[in-house]
Amino acid sequence: MASLLTVLALASTSLGVTIYGQLPLGQTQTEGPWATTTALAAYNDTRLTPPAVPNPAINRNFAVQLQRDAAQVPGLSLPHVGPSFYGFSIEMSVITQVLGKNSSFIQVPFLNLMANLQERAGGVLVRLGGNTQEFATMVEPDDHRIEPGHTFGKTISGSTQTLEFVLYTRDMFYMANNISSMVNVKWFLGIPFNDSANWRTAIAEEGQTILGDHLLGLQAANEPDFYVTFGRRQAPYEPADYKREVGELIQHLETRPMITNPRILIGPSTSGQVWHAEQVFETGFLDDYKDYLYAVSVEHYPNNNCIAMYGDPNSPEAVRPQELFPYYLNHNNVVELASHYTANANTAATYGKPFIMFEMNTGSCGGFAGISDTFTSALWALDYGFQMATQNTTHALLHVGGQSVFYNPFTAPPSNQTEFNEWTLGPVYYSALVMAEAFGKSNTSQIIDLRANENNQNTPAYGIFERGQLSKVALFNYIDDPSGANDLRVALTVNGGVPTSVSVKYLEGISVNEKNNITWAGQTFGNKLTVDGRLRGSPNVTTIPCDQGQNVCTIPVPAPGFALVFLSTSDEALAISQSPTTFSTSAYQRKHNTITWDRQAVQTSNGHNAGELKAKLGSTSFGWLNVASGAAPSLGGRGGPVPLVVQGLLGTMVGLVLGSVLQVL
Ligand SMILES: *[C@@H]1O[C@H](CO)[C@@H](O)[C@H](O)[C@H]1NC(C)=O
Ligand SMILES: *[C@@H]1O[C@H](CO)[C@@H](O)[C@H](O)[C@H]1NC(C)=O
Ligand SMILES: *[C@@H]1O[C@H](CO)[C@@H](O)[C@H](O)[C@H]1NC(C)=O
Ligand SMILES: *[C@@H]1O[C@H](CO)[C@@H](O)[C@H](O)[C@H]1NC(C)=O
Ligand SMILES: *[C@@H]1O[C@H](CO)[C@@H](O)[C@H](O)[C@H]1NC(C)=O
Ligand SMILES: *[C@@H]1O[C@H](CO)[C@@H](O)[C@H](O)[C@H]1NC(C)=O
Ligand SMILES: *[C@@H]1O[C@H](CO)[C@@H](O)[C@H](O)[C@H]1NC(C)=O
Ligand SMILES: *[C@@H]1O[C@H](CO)[C@@H](O)[C@H](O)[C@H]1NC(C)=O
Ligand SMILES: *[C@@H]1O[C@H](CO)[C@@H](O)[C@H](O)[C@H]1NC(C)=O
């Protein structure tokens, strides 16, 4: 994301950036290198070639020695408290698509998806924000820029700075509040930081008044370390300047009569590419503001697709997803990624604060075709989530960017398809679901990386303890081998003895390059444009007898695949499948006959005791990129710091549609 914004900042200050209208789904772009592109990123069918099976072969029959008693296990994480480890970060410009058109027309699939996480983890954290929060502005409902009945609109500022702003009415908060009255979603909002001389705190004031306790926190700046780059502050703007501004914001909030609780700020939300959170801590940020903070936050994406997405995909600098593919199927990379934040997380803990990875996903600038939208991303986000949790991050928010990105956990259909198509689920939603189930609702889950199989990068494993006792074991197999020759047989041994049998739920995909037919414990949400947010099919929990004499339970794990082993057959999470609270889509079914889900399957999986909510899918415009061919910007590569000086860029971009650009961060 950072690098995209580098492009934007430079493009918008040096070029007259042109705003174009939306491009409907199915229409071929007429200009630029993507002229042959026929599908929006969210529906792209790219299939990459899975990495070759390891040669020499790995040890596929390995033993894992476990302790039953957490007290015997050094290095366990802190206990994971509160709702689902993974929540969601929804860019303000796509709220209409994802949440709904207004407070009485809320997206039913969204409610069902949240209900399924709530069933497992008690609730979900959702952030409304992102880069679009900086300029977003609350207006009255009769504002001419807001269509009647709509909660959101967009506007373009002045004649020189052609940046699209999100406009919203007070109804946004009623919408969020209505959602919280149906499912246990708690919210984060962001205070605009574009102008620290004239704070615009309506979002905090109205948010707190209307949402009350459903509003958990208010982000004080989004990636402030990029503010100079983006032209939002004059250099020098250092961590101490940011710290001073947060102090000024606190003083301002203290004077606002509608603010009942100014002590729920979230920061520093650094990208880590210009400053690190530690540098902000060194200014006294935590010591001075600890009483004003709800949580400590950072934001990070491991790689970026900015050049291919916004420059020339044929440039030698552009990331080739095929070459990047193995990165996402390697446990060592996940450990390395999480390790950057261990010290921050432990520092936050010493102040008694949650440590939240406030915005993340497989890759910024839209993610990668064939990676961000395949079974690979489900395994990666699950391993990375467990790893972040092992290293004491308390929650992480998967970013949702609209139809022109590859990485969405869920995508609403394009506006004019809402009558006959439904949602598309991203594989990373399954990661959120599995983690929610693995940690449960007890607020006592602690996790450790077992460094299994001599810490083999292909076969990570974690132990999860609840209430001080070993409760579950998570086993991964990153290898893609349909022959079965790389299926694992993991021999679990427990100090204290194995039970007579264990229960196993599998997360399965046919291949790491597969987008369809992903199942969790035998159930699926369905393939693209068929999802209503409810699991279908009969739950399949495998019982595996153990050999108590030998003290071993042998667990098969397919290549590729993931197994969650429940040590106790009375574990309440075993019985969880589709949430009994569902929101019905019957309003569509009466009108249209083309929904392709299998009603029979839904009936057998609890899908009909629904709290009915009539809803219509929200609609919004979505922009598209319009890039002229030419020399590619040089933005450097994967992860790591992004060079801030972009050469050869300014001649290359004829126009960017900022609407879509802002959506896809
Ligand atoms: C899918 O995305 C890739 C990478 O951006 C692109 O090259 C390809 O043309 C897209 N496919 C379709 C059908 O749009
Ligand atoms: C877990 O923590 C949440 C608050 O984060 C609380 O609402 C819930 O009641 C707790 N659950 C248990 C079982 O203590
Ligand atoms: C901040 O954003 C608001 C709303 O978009 C705009 O009216 C204002 O001019 C901006 N201030 C600065 C200093 O950019
Ligand atoms: C919300 O949208 C619906 C459907 O377009 C409309 O009937 C209703 O009046 C809107 N509600 C508000 C509060 O504007
Ligand atoms: C949502 O909020 C509005 C207030 O704007 C209220 O009139 C409406 O009944 C609520 N709808 C639901 C489904 O709770
Ligand atoms: C996480 O926190 C726990 C509890 O403070 C600590 O024992 C453990 O070492 C921490 N983990 C890491 C990776 O620092
Ligand atoms: C979607 O909207 C576009 C532009 O308004 C139109 O050309 C197209 O026919 C519509 N598609 C459908 C399926 O209605
Ligand atoms: C995927 O699921 C569909 C629908 O259940 C089925 O028809 C298809 O054969 C499956 N594909 C594979 C490769 O298993
Ligand atoms: C249940 O899942 C296991 C493991 O994937 C599989 O072997 C078995 O065939 C499945 N059973 C059913 C009824 O689908």
Side-chain angles (χ1 to χ4, degrees):
M1 164 170 66
S3 1
L4 161 61
L5 285 164
T6 310
V7 174
L8 269 185
L10 290 170
S12 61
T13 50
S14 312
L15 280 175
V17 172
T18 314
I19 312 279
Y20 293 89
Q22 70 261 42
L23 186 79
L25 180 89
Q27 182 171 309
T28 304
Q29 205 179 340
T30 53
E31 286 175 89
W34 278 19
T36 53
T37 298
T38 54
L40 289 166
Y43 311 109
N44 186 292
D45 276 334
T46 298
R47 259 168 226 270
L48 303 174
T49 305
V53 302
N55 183 12
I58 66 152
N59 176 12
R60 66 186 197 94
N61 300 300
F62 58 90
V64 174
Q65 172 69 52
L66 299 149
Q67 299 291 337
R68 187 186 281 169
D69 183 357
Q72 305 298 315
V73 185
L76 274 181
S77 75
L78 45 71
H80 285 277
V81 176
S84 172
F85 176 86
Y86 272 125
F88 304 98
S89 157
I90 301 175
E91 196 64 57
M92 289 192 86
S93 51
V94 301
I95 294 175
T96 299
Q97 286 174 25
V98 177
L99 301 189
K101 178 183 168 194
N102 64 40
S103 59
S104 50
F105 268 72
I106 292 168
Q107 293 273 24
V108 162
F110 177 79
L111 297 175
N112 286 333
L113 292 168
M114 297 305 111
N116 272 310
L117 292 171
Q118 178 179 349
E119 180 71 7
R120 288 160 175 80
V124 193
L125 303 176
V126 178
R127 170 235 196 167
L128 302 179
N131 283 285
T132 45
Q133 80 194 28
E134 305 285 22
F135 295 91
T137 304
M138 193 179 94
V139 296
E140 292 304 318
D142 60 0
D143 189 290
H144 68 280
R145 294 165 297 182
I146 300 269
E147 282 179 56
H150 284 250
T151 300
F152 292 89
K154 287 178 187 171
T155 191
I156 294 166
S157 80
S159 52
T160 49
Q161 195 193 10
T162 47
L163 195 60
E164 206 175 41
F165 292 177
V166 173
L167 301 175
Y168 62 90
T169 69
R170 201 169 277 108
D171 193 57
M172 176 174 85
F173 307 106
Y174 288 110
M175 199 165 152
N177 201 48
N178 277 357
I179 290 170
S180 295
S181 71
M182 293 182 275
V183 284
N184 187 23
V185 171
K186 300 288 185 206
W187 304 92
F188 299 127
L189 299 170
I191 296 174
F193 250 64
N194 76 318
D195 189 346
S196 59
N198 304 288
W199 291 107
R200 292 179 298 123
T201 50
I203 196 161
E205 294 165 28
E206 301 286 344
Q208 209 158 62
T209 304
I210 296 167
L211 283 165
D213 290 346
H214 296 313
L215 176 63
L216 288 187
L218 293 162
Q219 197 185 13
N222 185 60
E223 297 189 327
D225 51 326
F226 268 120
Y227 281 179
V228 170
T229 315
F230 301 163
R232 289 183 192 156
R233 293 291 185 279
Q234 297 286 318
Y237 183 75
E238 300 295 341
D241 299 300
Y242 167 67
K243 190 237 167 183
R244 174 181 42 77
E245 288 185 350
V246 173
E248 290 162 8
L249 173 66
I250 289 170
Q251 282 175 8
H252 177 82
L253 291 174
E254 298 271 23
T255 67
R256 305 296 293 177
M258 283 176 78
I259 296 288
T260 51
N261 182 5
R263 297 167 182 269
I264 57 169
L265 298 180
I266 294 175
S269 306
T270 39
S271 76
Q273 308 224 28
V274 185
W275 322 323
H276 290 280
E278 292 87 323
Q279 290 169 272
V280 178
F281 301 162
E282 282 161 13
T283 66
F285 182 84
L286 295 174
D287 290 324
D288 291 357
Y289 303 148
K290 58 181 184 293
D291 295 339
Y292 286 88
L293 292 176
Y294 169 80
V296 178
S297 60
V298 294
E299 302 185 7
H300 188 68
Y301 295 74
N303 293 291
N304 78 74
N305 192 29
C306 300
I307 294 175
M309 198 84 157
Y310 299 105
D312 175 3
N314 298 317
S315 148
E317 316 285 329
V319 173
R320 312 258 171 256
Q322 182 65 60
E323 289 166 22
L324 195 55
F325 202 2
Y327 172 90
Y328 289 94
L329 295 163
N330 183 332
H331 180 62
N332 294 343
N333 293 332
V334 155
V335 173
E336 195 271 340
L337 195 55
S339 72
H340 292 283
Y341 299 100
T342 318
N344 294 341
N346 288 334
T347 301
T350 64
Y351 287 85
K353 303 297 175 191
F355 180 74
I356 307 178
M357 174 58 72
F358 217 64
E359 187 181 316
M360 51 81 58
N361 213 309
T362 37
S364 62
C365 287
F368 303 98
I371 293 174
S372 303
D373 49 4
T374 56
F375 189 53
T376 294
S377 64
L379 293 175
W380 175 84
L382 191 51
D383 191 9
Y384 184 37
F386 279 137
Q387 188 60 223
M388 283 190 278
T390 300
Q391 303 201 34
N392 292 335
T393 290
T394 57
H395 291 93
L397 307 182
L398 287 158
H399 199 55
V400 181
Q403 284 139 8
S404 36
V405 306
F406 298 106
Y407 59 55
N408 289 320
F410 35 76
T411 310
S415 53
N416 71 352
Q417 296 219 344
T418 57
E419 301 290 4
F420 50 88
N421 286 321
E422 293 203 7
W423 282 38
T424 299
L425 209 68
V428 296
Y429 178 85
Y430 287 91
S431 320
L433 191 80
V434 175
M435 269 196 85
E437 203 163 315
F439 284 180
K441 301 181 202 175
S442 71
N443 295 336
T444 64
S445 285
Q446 294 173 276
I447 181 166
I448 189 158
D449 185 334
L450 297 168
R451 305 176 65 85
N453 202 12
E454 296 173 352
N455 207 21
N456 188 290
Q457 67 189 43
N458 295 291
T459 61
Y462 295 88
I464 297 160
F465 292 76
E466 268 183 278
R467 302 178 186 89
Q469 297 285 303
L470 180 66
S471 121
K472 301 182 187 78
V473 180
L475 303 171
F476 289 76
N477 188 351
Y478 275 127
I479 301 172
D480 192 295
D481 183 1
S483 79
N486 276 286
D487 290 359
L488 306 179
R489 290 178 58 78
V490 183
L492 303 182
T493 298
V494 180
N495 187 358
V498 291
T500 52
S501 68
V502 293
S503 303
V504 184
K505 290 188 178 184
Y506 287 98
L507 179 66
E508 291 179 288
I510 299 154
S511 162
V512 293
N513 73 6
E514 181 61 49
K515 303 179 194 226
N516 295 327
N517 297 31
I518 293 173
T519 56
W520 169 238
Q523 295 185 294
T524 184
F525 287 93
N527 296 341
K528 72 177 175 186
L529 296 167
T530 69
V531 172
D532 70 2
R534 295 184 287 190
L535 280 161
R536 307 161 199 178
S538 304
N540 176 4
V541 180
T542 307
T543 301
I544 295 182
C546 301
D547 182 336
Q548 286 188 306
Q550 298 290 321
N551 187 14
V552 66
C553 312
T554 303
I555 315 297
V557 188
F562 167 83
L564 188 63
V565 184
F566 295 72
L567 275 295
S568 163
T569 47
S570 60
D571 194 314
E572 59 184 12
L574 269 176
I576 294 177
S577 55
Q578 168 56 44
S579 165
T581 307
T582 70
F583 299 89
S584 166
T585 54
S586 60
Y588 309 131
Q589 292 163 28
R590 272 200 299 280
K591 273 194 284 185
H592 305 284
N593 249 341
T594 47
I595 294 170
T596 56
W597 51 262
D598 176 354
R599 275 152 226 242
Q600 198 72 37
V602 174
Q603 274 158 13
T604 58
S605 64
N606 239 347
H608 278 283
N609 44 352
E612 185 160 319
L613 182 79
K614 217 203 255 177
K616 194 178 168 81
L617 291 158
S619 72
T620 188
S621 61
F622 52 90
W624 197 253
L625 176 74
N626 185 355
V627 188
S629 56
S634 167
L635 277 172
R638 318 182 161 173
V642 173
L644 297 178
V645 177
V646 180
Q647 303 221 322
L649 169 68
L650 299 180
T652 70
M653 299 217 171
V654 168
L656 287 171
V657 181
L658 289 181
S660 74
V661 166
L662 291 171
Q663 284 181 24
V664 300
L665 307 174

